[in-house]
Amino acid sequence: VGILANQPPHNCGSIVCDASDKAARMVRFCDAFRIPLITFVDTPGYMPGADQEHNGILRHGAKLLYAYSEATVPKLTVVLRKAYGGAYIAMGSKHLGADRVYALPTAEIAVMGAEGAAAIVHKKKLAKLSDGAERQAYLAQQVELYRKNYMNADIALHEGFADELLQPGQIRSRLVEDLRMLSGKRALLRVEKRHGNLPL
């Protein structure tokens, strides 16, 4: 199998231009030789900043999205921890045709992190609070509520972003079971075409 994973100790697991190209190349290699893909997700998103924008993060990120969506081999995904925004979608999500997506109880599938989201959603209320300690207490309360209501793995399961919640000890056996089940997977083309239009 081909294994793709984010590396949290490096850039917090963020996806940068070079990482997008590297991952897209891996996905296309595996698809070309009918090698199943397993993706382990732990990413806070695409790397922000002017440097990445000038280097074309949108174009490079699109390569990864395209590669996953076009791949017809068995695709299994495990969300370990963070899976935020567009980077979650790019890392072998249900939206891009993953056959199975599992989440650990520690998974956080959301648009963005709780701290950033709470600060944006409650910006007006926070601006009205003059006392710094009171503001921090209110923000901490809203962060906790956001985590509870939007970021837990049960919600991801309920919303269809994951197929099942697994404990860490169940991952290996479930992936092996799925790979056996999907070993005969074949793609049915609805429209005859020579190839897609890869974003270059």
Side-chain angles (χ1 to χ4, degrees), residues 5-187:
N6 303 107
Q7 179 63 287
H10 183 72
N11 290 332
C12 298
S14 296
I15 300 176
V16 297
C17 293
D18 289 344
S20 295
D21 289 350
K22 180 180 179 183
R25 200 164 40 249
M26 175 71 172
V27 171
R28 291 187 61 86
F29 176 87
C30 290
D31 194 49
F33 293 99
R34 297 222 38 86
I35 301 169
L37 284 164
I38 298 176
T39 306
F40 293 99
V41 183
D42 187 355
T43 179
Y46 284 98
M47 178 68 82
D51 182 51
Q52 288 297 308
E53 288 182 28
H54 289 290
N55 288 328
I57 187 65
L58 292 177
R59 180 170 43 87
H60 292 279
K63 291 177 188 177
L64 181 56
L65 289 161
Y66 183 88
Y68 265 114
S69 64
E70 193 179 57
T72 59
V73 295
K75 295 180 280 191
L76 306 173
T77 300
V78 181
V79 180
L80 303 173
R81 201 170 55 115
K82 294 178 180 178
Y84 297 162
Y88 154 68
I89 294 172
M91 290 296 295
S93 66
K94 293 292 283 184
H95 305 82
L96 293 183
D99 295 295
R100 297 289 285 172
V101 175
Y102 298 109
L104 294 186
T106 53
E108 300 175 357
I109 301 174
V111 174
M112 62 191 312
E115 291 81 5
I120 291 169
V121 171
H122 301 284
K123 182 179 179 180
K124 289 182 181 176
K125 172 74 174 175
L126 289 166
K128 290 178 184 176
L129 298 172
S130 57
D131 182 28
E134 186 181 1
R135 190 182 305 117
Q136 289 293 22
Y138 180 77
L139 182 59
Q141 178 188 19
Q142 295 308 317
V143 165
E144 192 54 41
L145 282 172
Y146 186 87
R147 279 200 178 106
K148 179 182 175 186
N149 294 327
Y150 300 105
M151 293 185 72
N152 68 59
D154 290 324
I155 292 170
L157 184 65
H158 180 265
E159 294 295 327
F161 296 140
D163 294 306
E164 189 176 347
L165 297 182
L166 296 179
Q167 295 298 323
Q170 299 174 294
I171 293 173
R172 183 187 301 262
S173 59
R174 185 59 56 84
L175 292 176
V176 168
E177 191 178 296
D178 286 343
L179 288 170
R180 285 191 183 121
M181 177 188 69
L182 293 165
S183 62
K185 178 184 174 184
R186 294 291 178 262

